[in-house]
Amino acid sequence: MSSRIMHIDMDAFFASVEQQVNPSLRGKPVIIGGRDYKYRSIICAASYEAKRLGVTSAMPSWLALKICPQAIFVPADTPKYIYTSNRIFEILKAFSPKIEKFSVDEFFLEADGCRKLFGSEEEMGRSVKEKIREEFGITCSVGAAPTKITAKLAAKMKKPDGLYVIGRDEALAILEGLPVEKICGIGERLKKRFHLLGIQTCGQLAKYPDRVLKEHFGVIGLWLKAACRVEDFSDIDYFAEGDGPPKSIGHSQTLRQASCDQQYIKDWIYLLSEMVAMRLRHKALMARTVYFYISDGIGGGSAKRKTFTEPTYDGYEIYQRCLHIVEQMGLSDLCARVLGVSVSHLSFADHHYLFDRQDRRDRLIRSVDRVNDQYGEWTVYPASLKNATYER
DNA sequence: TCTGGGGTCCTAGGACCC
DNA sequence: TCTGGGGTCCTAGGACCC
């Protein structure tokens, strides 16, 4: 059995979208940053004009600014990118019934059985690219190969605006000398551990004895070996809407500097809890598990999660649960540089659920959400958060 | 300014129930 | 008879991705 997978990878997605929306940015080095986007953050995306000047993805923004002072910084507009991503997904639906949204700017689709409709994979790839360019004015790179891993590699190899169709033999030839860390699934840690075993390339990994791999890496080792032998038949995860419901929702924040001011830290925990809760309610979800992370920025951080019986979408309740976890962690004096609050064990919210017990609070929460939806986030927020929000 | 912030998945071990 | 297996839930920790 041989399957054919196509990978569609948008080129400098966030930056391209901004250049499309604002023509004055076209042809110029554009850098997309997050919150506090010029200094205390890393960049989310860079246009190819900026990349040519040496800006790379995940570079701290102060460094990008140093390398490329003429760059135009644009704050990230996540909803815009998600909206565009969803529309791209809709377009791809016309090409194959099996599509997976791998991330906001990457998609896999099963290319088997589409030959009658679209001709060869080259033709199909060209149609996909044309359609996306027509609709949004932005480019993407397309790779077609026998497996997800190799399709992703193929797309990356011809960036930007590329199209690369490879068969099994060619895929094997590419993998033979390819450093192991180039394939999706091998990061910094695994790379080092493979190197210790004398495995530098995918070709070497492909020939390594199963027993040793199993011993050192468990099933992941065997899975990666199969990937290097182009024998990975993992399925396309297909969701009709492009996205399944999220498994967890969280926020974290690196403070400008470490602080041991208890009230200040608690304000931040409350703020993060409210931010998480607001997103839960937006998605009509409730959560049972609360995860709290704190790091002083010097040693490693510590984290703890706890699952509660009652699900909630109330920011104050999430905050209280965080404090409960803090207590369990035995942290009497909090000192923090990084704080994180996230929730999981999500279920769809049943508004009747809270109706009896906290109807009034429920109505308050929803009114506040409505005001914030209409007039912008943080138009209305708990008074006790004044200091924390001030620093944002 | 001196690597952010948002996620996912896997595993092993313990608790508990039948 | 207090030993045993299977299943589920939970936690902690590790690793990875964009």
Side-chain angles (χ1 to χ4, degrees), chain A residues 305-319:
Chain A
R305 66 189 135 190
K306 188 157 174 60
T307 303
F308 298 82
T309 330
E310 303 285 310
T312 184
Y313 51 40
D314 179 340
Y316 188 70
E317 177 62 27
I318 293 171
Y319 169 61

Side-chain angles (χ1 to χ4, degrees), chain A residues 89-349:
Chain A
F89 187 87
E90 290 303 315
I91 286 178
L92 294 177
K93 271 185 182 172
F95 287 90
S96 172
K98 281 199 161 179
I99 323 168
E100 174 182 341
K101 187 174 196 172
F102 185 68
S103 71
V104 73
D105 64 345
E106 289 179 54
F107 308 85
F108 285 107
L109 60 84
E110 208 173 270
D112 293 328
C114 304
R115 187 165 293 256
K116 264 190 208 149
L117 273 172
F118 301 103
S120 68
E121 283 172 6
E122 279 87 357
E123 288 169 293
M124 181 171 161
R126 270 196 295 275
S127 308
V128 166
K129 286 162 62 69
E130 262 169 41
K131 194 83 190 148
I132 291 175
R133 193 200 299 267
E134 263 171 34
E135 195 84 14
F136 306 103
I138 58 180
T139 64
C140 62
S141 297
V142 173
T147 61
K148 280 179 158 183
I149 294 268
T150 49
K152 194 162 151 64
L153 271 178
K156 184 161 267 174
M157 287 171 75
K158 299 288 174 175
K159 265 185 162 299
D161 201 13
L163 170 62
Y164 195 14
V165 176
I166 54 177
R168 187 162 189 277
D169 291 342
E170 197 175 354
L172 281 169
I174 290 167
L175 286 165
E176 184 58 36
L178 191 77
V180 279
E181 69 273 18
K182 295 289 180 193
I183 66 170
C184 184
I186 299 183
E188 202 49 39
R189 303 288 185 99
L190 283 178
K191 176 181 99 175
K192 283 194 182 132
R193 285 164 63 193
F194 278 123
H195 284 183
L196 284 177
L197 289 179
I199 302 172
Q200 310 279 339
T201 65
C202 294
Q204 291 168 332
L205 176 51
K207 297 180 198 84
Y208 218 77
D210 283 359
R211 189 184 51 79
V212 189
L213 289 175
K214 181 93 202 276
E215 196 181 304
H216 283 83
F217 306 98
V219 290
I220 291 182
L222 299 181
W223 183 85
L224 289 169
K225 174 177 174 176
C228 289
R229 295 168 64 92
V230 196
E231 283 168 359
D232 149 44
F233 295 122
S234 45
D235 278 338
I236 299 277
D237 287 323
Y238 169 65
F239 286 111
E241 300 310 317
D243 262 327
K247 305 271 168 65
S248 67
I249 289 177
H251 279 291
S252 61
Q253 177 74 35
T254 303
L255 307 177
R256 278 176 209 270
Q257 55 195 30
S259 167
C260 296
D261 178 335
Q262 303 304 293
Q263 193 53 51
Y264 178 71
I265 293 172
K266 283 183 180 172
D267 283 353
W268 264 105
I269 300 174
Y270 186 19
L271 178 63
L272 292 168
S273 302
E274 284 289 357
M275 289 165 75
V276 167
M278 209 173 290
R279 281 177 60 206
L280 277 175
R281 298 192 295 267
H282 251 284
K283 291 176 181 289
L285 294 170
M286 305 183 93
R288 282 181 58 210
T289 300
V290 175
Y291 171 91
F292 175 72
Y293 174 79
I294 184 166
S295 160
D296 57 13
I298 307 161
S302 43
K304 194 171 171 69
R305 66 189 135 190
K306 188 157 174 60
T307 303
F308 298 82
T309 330
E310 303 285 310
T312 184
Y313 51 40
D314 179 340
Y316 188 70
E317 177 62 27
I318 293 171
Y319 169 61
Q320 290 298 323
R321 292 180 183 187
C322 285
L323 293 186
H324 177 78
I325 291 171
V326 165
E327 206 172 296
Q328 283 197 332
M329 289 165 95
L331 298 173
S332 46
D333 282 314
L334 295 171
C335 279
R337 175 78 208 282
V338 186
L339 288 165
V341 174
S342 89
V343 295
S344 54
H345 256 99
L346 308 182
S347 55
F348 286 106

